[in-house]
């Protein structure tokens, strides 16, 4: 007993555990949409563990990268399982994050006093996008190579600094060995440390400082007896939900592992042969649809950047004192339309941009931005329903 006491006096681990787990209180009415945060954390752990083992056998060299992935798949014990868990785990991670963000949009979890929780969460999302983009290059297949070429070219549209920025990102004048080496280093070392050691920890600390929102959007007072401990009630519920969510994920991994993998990526990268139809991973496709819906290359890049960076402005765009869309009929209809439009953009972005597809992409892009433009105006026209007792 003396050693734990000695450690506790110098490093208060028990105090931190009590503050963030055992004595942390949550509202009693959280529904299953609040479980996707823990599911995203589970996928993050899965990505780290499988990524460590894959990095032991991967060769970040343009002459060896593709073959090293095939070596992992064919000759390393359970290498195929590690590779599929990692590749499909990225999709599971993004799906959990998108549903987590969608819940926040619907229930107004970004509003005061949770603005910092929202901003740190957005920083996590940006870091996750960079992590996924750099990881996608590592198999050194056709789609990996050409996607990296196209996306890094987007930075070249920035006036004055664009061309130099592209060379800096690639480490060369074209995507090649230097690009692969630096993307591997960033993907396996720098970004995971920033994601885990910094942003996720800050996100949890900020959340536990102000407490979770709830479906009613009405905060309970700190001493309200209706609040219940995070442990064991919500911890066990998170574990049950995570186990349930892993069942369809495992079914895909074992019975349809190539379902979300691009067939062109099973061919080695060839700078002299461009694939007929370039499509990024599904979680980037809605933003890709916005990018290509604008005729101007610079205009498309600006529109795509705006589509991403309008998200952290939501706490200040949404001026209604009522948080939850449960009690805001116009906000509910607008948000559900936004979700449907985002799915439509995802479908359109996977099709060839010709004829009706291109026209619909432009309409869906306009609808996407109309959501953010309409939010500040809603309180003038919207009559919110009465809230349950408490402070909005």
């Amino acid at each position: 007993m003396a050693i734990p006491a000695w450690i506790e006096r110098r490093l208060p681990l028990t105090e931190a555990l009590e503050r963030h787990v055992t004595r942390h209180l949550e509202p009693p009415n959280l529904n299953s949409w609040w479980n996707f945060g823990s599911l995203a954390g589970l996928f993050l752990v899965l990505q780290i563990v499988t990524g460590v083992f894959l990095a032991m056998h991967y060769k970040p060299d343009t002459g060896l990268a593709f073959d090293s992935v095939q070596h992992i798949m064919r000759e390393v014990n359970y290498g195929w399982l590690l590779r599929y868990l990692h590749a499909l785990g990225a999709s599971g991670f993004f799906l959990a994050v998108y549903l987590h963000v969608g819940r926040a949009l619907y229930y107004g979890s970004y509003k005061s006093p949770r603005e910092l929780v929202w901003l740190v969460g957005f920083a996590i999302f940006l870091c996750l996008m960079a992590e996924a983009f750099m990881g996608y290059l590592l198999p050194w297949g056709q789609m990996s190579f050409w996607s990296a070429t196209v996306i890094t070219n987007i930075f070249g549209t920035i006036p004055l600094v664009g061309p130099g920025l592209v060379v800096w990102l690639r480490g060369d004048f074209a995507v090649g060995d230097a690009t692969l080496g630096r993307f591997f280093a960033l993907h396996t070392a720098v970004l995971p440390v920033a994601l885990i050691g910094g942003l996720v920890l800050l996100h949890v600390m900020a959340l536990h400082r102000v407490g979770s929102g709830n479906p009613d959007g009405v905060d309970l007072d700190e001493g309200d007896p209706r609040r219940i401990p995070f442990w064991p009630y919500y911890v066990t519920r998170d574990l049950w939900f995570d186990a349930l969510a892993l069942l369809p994920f495992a079914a895909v991994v074992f019975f349809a592992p190539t379902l979300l993998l691009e067939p062109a990526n099973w061919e080695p990268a060839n700078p002299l042969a461009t694939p007929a139809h370039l499509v990024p991973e599904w979680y980037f496709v809605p933003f890709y649809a916005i990018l290509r819906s604008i005729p101007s290359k610079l205009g498309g890049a600006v529109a795509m950047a705006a589509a991403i960076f309008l998200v952290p402005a939501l706490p200040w765009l949404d001026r209604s004192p009522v948080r939850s869309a449960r009690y805001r009929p116009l906000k509910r209809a607008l948000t559900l339309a936004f979700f449907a439009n985002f799915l439509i953009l995802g479908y359109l972005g996977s099709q060839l941009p010709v004829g009706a597809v291109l026209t619909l992409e432009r309409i869906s892009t306009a609808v996407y931005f109309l959501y953010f433009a309409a939010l500040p105006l809603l309180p003038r026209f919207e009559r919110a329903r009465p809230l349950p007792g408490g402070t909005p």
Side-chain angles (χ1 to χ4, degrees):
M1 294 297 294
I3 293 178
W6 183 88
I7 295 174
E8 187 64 27
R9 286 196 300 270
R10 292 156 178 82
L11 186 64
L13 295 176
T14 303
E15 179 184 333
L17 187 65
E18 289 178 349
R19 180 174 181 179
H20 293 288
V21 181
T22 58
R23 293 186 181 177
H24 178 67
L25 301 177
E26 293 283 8
N29 60 335
L30 301 187
N31 58 34
S32 295
W33 292 107
W34 264 261
N35 294 110
F36 284 103
S38 72
L39 182 61
L42 178 64
F43 275 115
L44 175 59
V45 172
L46 176 68
Q47 292 302 93
I48 293 166
V49 172
T50 55
V52 167
F53 286 101
L54 289 172
M56 294 177 183
H57 300 276
Y58 177 76
K59 304 290 190 298
D61 181 283
T62 55
L64 302 172
F66 184 85
D67 289 338
S68 71
V69 173
Q70 302 310 306
H71 168 75
I72 291 170
M73 293 286 293
R74 300 169 189 274
E75 299 182 38
V76 175
N77 287 336
Y78 296 102
W80 60 272
L81 180 59
L82 290 171
R83 199 274 175 98
Y84 285 143
L85 284 173
H86 195 74
L88 295 171
S91 291
F93 197 176
F94 267 97
L95 180 60
V97 167
Y98 276 132
L99 292 171
H100 186 60
V101 172
R103 183 268 302 166
L105 286 176
Y106 186 83
Y107 291 114
S109 300
Y110 50 81
K111 294 177 71 68
S112 177
R114 299 178 182 85
E115 300 97 332
L116 191 57
V117 179
W118 181 253
L119 292 177
V120 176
F122 175 73
I124 291 173
F125 180 66
L126 284 183
C127 193
L128 180 58
M129 291 179 76
E131 178 81 348
F133 164 59
M134 292 179 181
Y136 193 54
L137 177 65
L138 301 187
W140 203 245
Q142 270 288 71
M143 196 60 69
S144 296
F145 173 84
W146 286 103
S147 293
T149 299
V150 170
I151 293 175
T152 51
N153 274 336
I154 294 172
F155 292 92
T157 62
I158 301 174
L160 300 177
V161 300
L165 182 59
V166 172
V167 175
W168 180 81
L169 284 171
R170 294 174 175 172
D172 205 338
F173 294 103
V175 174
D177 204 61
T179 317
L180 188 62
R182 65 179 53 196
F183 276 27
F184 176 73
L186 290 169
H187 181 75
T188 57
V190 178
L191 289 173
V193 170
L195 195 62
I196 305 163
L199 295 174
V200 171
L201 181 61
L202 286 176
H203 190 61
V204 172
M205 289 174 64
L207 175 65
H208 286 188
R209 177 68 175 177
V210 296
S212 294
N214 61 78
D216 288 331
V218 177
D219 287 339
L220 301 178
D221 295 332
E222 189 171 342
D224 196 307
R226 290 174 293 176
R227 298 202 304 167
I228 60 178
F230 184 66
W231 168 266
Y233 300 102
Y234 283 119
V235 171
T236 53
R237 182 168 152 177
D238 279 341
L239 292 173
W240 172 84
F241 184 87
D242 293 348
L244 192 65
L246 286 177
L247 289 176
F249 175 71
V252 174
V253 169
F254 288 107
F255 298 106
T258 60
L259 180 65
L260 298 175
L261 302 182
E262 189 62 38
N265 232 27
W266 294 100
E267 304 172 19
N270 183 359
L272 302 179
T274 309
H277 182 32
L278 284 171
V279 182
E281 290 288 87
W282 68 266
Y283 35 80
F284 292 143
V285 170
F287 301 110
Y288 177 64
I290 292 173
L291 167 72
R292 71 182 193 181
S293 68
I294 309 297
S296 163
K297 189 175 181 181
L298 175 59
V302 170
M304 184 180 70
I308 297 170
F309 285 95
L310 274 173
V311 174
L314 278 172
W316 296 273
L317 291 175
D318 187 356
R319 299 171 184 175
S320 172
V322 179
R323 296 191 184 101
S324 178
R326 273 186 174 183
Y327 305 98
R328 300 178 59 188
L330 289 181
K331 167 73 182 301
R332 179 168 62 250
L334 192 67
T335 303
L336 292 176
F338 178 79
F339 293 158
N341 185 67
F342 194 76
L343 294 176
I344 291 170
L345 279 170
Y347 171 75
L348 294 173
S350 65
Q351 307 301 307
L352 288 171
V354 294
V357 170
L358 186 56
T359 302
L360 290 172
E361 273 186 347
R362 290 170 179 170
I363 294 172
S364 293
T365 297
V367 170
Y368 181 95
F369 287 109
L370 280 174
Y371 175 78
F372 296 94
L375 275 180
L377 305 176
L378 281 188
R380 298 184 183 182
F381 309 100
E382 188 175 51
R383 293 190 63 182
R385 290 166 48 201
L387 296 173
T391 304

